[in-house]
Amino acid sequence: MKNHTEEYIKISELLYRKQSGLLSEKEQIQLDEWGSQSVENKELLIHLSDELALKEKRAEYDEIDSNSAWHKIESQIFEQKPKERKLFLNFLKYAAVVVLPLAVGALLVYQVMNVNEDYSDAIVEQIVPGTNKATLVLADGSTINLEEQKDTLIAGKLLNKNNKLSYDASSQLNQMEAKWHKLVVPVGGEYKLQLADGTTVWMNSDSELRYTDRFVGKQRVVHLKGEACFKVSKDKDHPFIVRTEAMDVQVYGTEFNVMAYTDENLVQTTLLEGSIGVDLKNETGVVQTSMIKPNMQVEYYKGNIRGEIKEVEASKYLGWRDGKFQFDNEELGSISRKLERWYGVKFFFQNQNSKNVKFSGEMKRFQDFSTILNLLEYGSDVEFDVHGKIVTVVSIK
C-alpha cells in the first residue's frame, strides 16, 4: 500500500511553522485541507498538537536564564582574548536561534512518523472480517439481537444455537395463520437459518430475508434482498420460491445461490444441484422464463428485456458460505463491493477505468484486510491507499 512518509514530513513542517507563528495564509489553507480530508487526519492533527505542545516547549525555552547559561559556557572557554570571547559567545547565541527550531522541527518529524505509525496500526486493526451476527424482526415489530441471544430459545419456539436460527413447524401448529418474520444481516455479518420445512439458508452480509414461521398453502415463498445460498428440502407438491426485485426462482428441492442486492444492477442465480426455473422481471412484468441445470447461471441486468444463461463452476459462486472469496476473471469494481460489505470499508477509484481491472483467484474470507489488498495489488496496475476505513484505488500505469 502507498507510503505516506513524504506527506507526513510535509505536514510536520507545517505544524511546526504554525506553532512557531511562521505559517503563511497559503500554508494554513494546505493544513486545513489536509485535516478535512478524513476523520483520521483531523484526529491526528489534534493528537499531535496535544502531544507535542510546542508552545509550551517554546515557553520553557524562553524561561531559561540566558545570561546565566552564557556565563557557564564562558567559564569553560580557556584563555581567550576578550574580543574573541565576545565574538564566540555572540555566535553561540545566534546559532541557538537557528539550530533550536531546526532541532525541534526534526523532533516533530520523528514524532509525527512514530505517532502516525502507531495510529495507522490502530486504524488497520479496526478493519476486521465479518462475524456471525444478525437481527431478527418478529411479526409484531419487536427486534432481537441474535449475537446477544446465543444458545437460547427465543419466544419459546425458535432455537438460536451455534450461530444458526432454527424453526420447528410443529411448535406453530396451533397458530391461526403463519407469521412473517425478517432476518436482517448487517454489513460485516453472516448468519445461518433453518426454515420450518427444513430448508437451510446461508445469509451473506448486508442482506434481508422475509419468511413465514411455517409454510401453508401450495407454495413456500420467501423474499430476498441481498445474497443467500439455499439448500431446499424436497417437496414436489409445494414448490419453493425465492422472490427478489428482478428475479423469481422456483425449485422443488435443490441447492443454489441468489445474488440480488438492491444497489447492484446485476442479479444472478447459480445452480449447484438439481434444477430450477427462473423468471426475470422488469416494470412490465415477467420478460423471460428459463430452466437451468447444475453448473449453470442466469445473469440479468435490471431493466433489460432478456438475461444470459451460461455455464460456470457453480462452487465458486457459493464459496463465500465456506469462508472463501473466489474470483473468476471478476472486475475490481465488483470485488470492491464484496469487500465493502464484508469488511465494512468504502472504496473510491481515482480512475474509473481501474474498476474494469480483472482478477482470478481464491482468498480466505477471514484473512487480514491488508493481506487481501496485497494479493490484489500483486501483478496488477493498481495500489491501495488506506485512510481509516476509506480505501482509495490508485492507478500506477
Side-chain angles (χ1 to χ4, degrees):
M1 286 167 277
K2 191 176 181 181
N3 191 305
H4 301 286
T5 302
E6 293 182 4
E7 177 184 352
Y8 300 144
I9 291 175
K10 177 62 177 177
I11 294 303
S12 70
E13 292 173 350
L14 294 178
L15 273 174
Y16 172 73
R17 289 177 62 80
K18 179 179 180 179
Q19 298 286 20
S20 301
L22 302 173
L23 196 68
S24 68
E25 184 177 345
K26 182 178 180 181
E27 289 171 330
Q28 180 64 59
I29 293 173
Q30 286 181 305
L31 195 59
D32 292 341
E33 287 181 347
W34 187 83
S36 65
Q37 285 177 5
S38 69
V39 175
E40 289 72 29
N41 287 4
K42 182 177 181 180
E43 291 179 352
L44 184 57
L45 288 179
I46 295 172
H47 178 77
L48 287 171
S49 297
D50 291 343
E51 287 293 320
L52 298 175
L54 284 182
K55 287 183 179 179
E56 294 181 9
K57 287 182 171 63
R58 283 171 53 84
E60 291 174 6
Y61 291 131
D62 292 341
E63 291 172 2
I64 295 174
D65 185 344
S66 58
N67 288 328
S68 175
W70 297 132
H71 283 310
K72 290 180 181 179
I73 296 173
E74 186 178 21
S75 66
Q76 299 176 28
I77 301 173
F78 298 103
E79 298 181 356
Q80 290 188 7
K81 295 178 181 179
K83 185 176 181 179
E84 291 174 342
R85 187 161 59 249
K86 184 177 181 181
L87 288 173
F88 182 67
L89 291 175
N90 285 337
F91 166 75
L92 288 179
K93 290 181 180 180
Y94 288 120
V97 174
V98 176
V99 173
L100 182 58
L102 290 176
V104 175
L107 175 63
L108 178 56
V109 172
Y110 174 76
Q111 291 191 6
V112 167
M113 294 177 68
N114 279 344
V115 168
N116 194 76
E117 183 178 352
D118 296 339
Y119 191 78
S120 295
D121 289 342
I123 291 170
V124 171
E125 289 175 3
Q126 294 174 8
I127 302 178
V128 295
T131 58
N132 289 287
K133 55 186 176 182
T135 298
L136 175 65
V137 182
L138 298 175
D140 62 3
S142 60
T143 61
I144 298 171
N145 186 328
L146 298 182
E147 193 177 15
E148 296 176 355
Q149 299 288 328
K150 292 182 177 180
D151 301 326
T152 59
L153 194 63
I154 299 173
K157 301 176 181 179
L158 320 175
L159 180 61
N160 184 39
K161 188 174 182 179
N162 298 326
N163 302 310
K164 177 182 178 181
L165 184 64
S166 301
Y167 284 77
D168 179 5
S170 62
S171 65
Q172 274 80 252
L173 289 177
N174 60 342
Q175 292 179 189
M176 294 299 293
E177 59 182 20
K179 295 180 180 180
W180 285 91
H181 296 171
K182 181 167 65 174
L183 187 64
V184 181
V185 181
V187 169
E190 63 179 4
Y191 221 77
K192 194 174 180 180
L193 169 67
Q194 182 176 302
L195 299 173
D197 66 338
T199 292
T200 301
V201 186
W202 289 262
M203 297 283 294
N204 205 348
S205 52
D206 196 19
S207 301
E208 297 181 7
L209 187 75
R210 287 185 63 243
Y211 58 91
T212 52
D213 53 4
R214 65 189 181 104
F215 292 111
V216 295
K218 296 181 179 180
Q219 298 177 330
R220 298 172 286 168
V221 179
V222 298
H223 299 262
L224 174 67
K225 292 180 181 179
E227 184 170 22
C229 179
F230 297 83
K231 189 170 185 178
V232 178
S233 293
K234 293 182 180 180
D235 185 346
K236 64 179 182 179
D237 297 323
H238 300 90
F240 190 96
I241 300 176
V242 180
R243 297 199 189 282
T244 75
E245 178 187 14
M247 177 186 292
D248 291 345
V249 182
Q250 180 171 311
V251 302
Y252 294 90
T254 188
E255 192 168 356
F256 61 99
N257 189 80
V258 178
M259 187 194 76
Y261 285 101
T262 55
D263 60 348
E264 293 269 6
N265 194 35
L266 176 65
V267 184
Q268 289 177 333
T269 291
T270 310
L271 181 61
L272 185 66
E273 293 180 2
S275 63
I276 59 176
V278 180
D279 289 339
L280 304 181
K281 305 179 295 183
N282 62 19
E283 62 277 2
T284 65
V286 176
V287 296
Q288 180 182 337
T289 298
S290 306
M291 292 291 295
I292 62 172
K293 298 179 179 180
N295 288 313
M296 296 183 72
Q297 179 184 81
V298 177
E299 188 174 84
Y300 178 60
Y301 287 90
K302 297 175 184 176
N304 284 2
I305 297 177
R306 297 188 64 81
E308 180 184 358
I309 301 174
K310 55 185 181 180
E311 292 186 5
V312 297
E313 189 176 340
S315 60
K316 290 186 176 181
Y317 292 86
L318 281 73
W320 63 266
R321 73 172 186 184
D322 300 318
K324 294 181 287 187
F325 286 116
Q326 292 176 294
F327 307 124
D328 186 8
N329 203 34
E330 189 166 344
E331 292 184 348
L332 183 57
S334 173
I335 293 173
S336 67
R337 291 191 293 273
K338 292 179 179 180
L339 296 178
E340 285 179 342
R341 297 185 188 107
W342 185 237
Y343 286 95
V345 297
K346 186 65 179 177
F347 279 79
F348 289 96
F349 289 80
Q350 283 190 350
N351 185 339
Q352 295 302 305
N353 291 331
S354 297
K355 291 183 177 181
N356 303 324
V357 176
K358 295 185 178 181
F359 294 88
S360 294
E362 179 179 307
M363 305 173 188
K364 293 180 180 178
R365 192 165 150 94
F366 291 91
Q367 207 151 21
D368 183 80
F369 184 64
S370 60
T371 302
I372 295 288
L373 295 187
N374 288 335
L375 290 171
L376 290 174
E377 282 183 345
Y378 182 75
S380 73
D381 294 324
V382 299
E383 63 180 20
F384 301 95
D385 184 3
V386 182
H387 282 280
K389 292 194 174 184
I390 303 298
V391 183
T392 302
V393 184
V394 182
S395 176
I396 57 176
K397 241 184 177 182

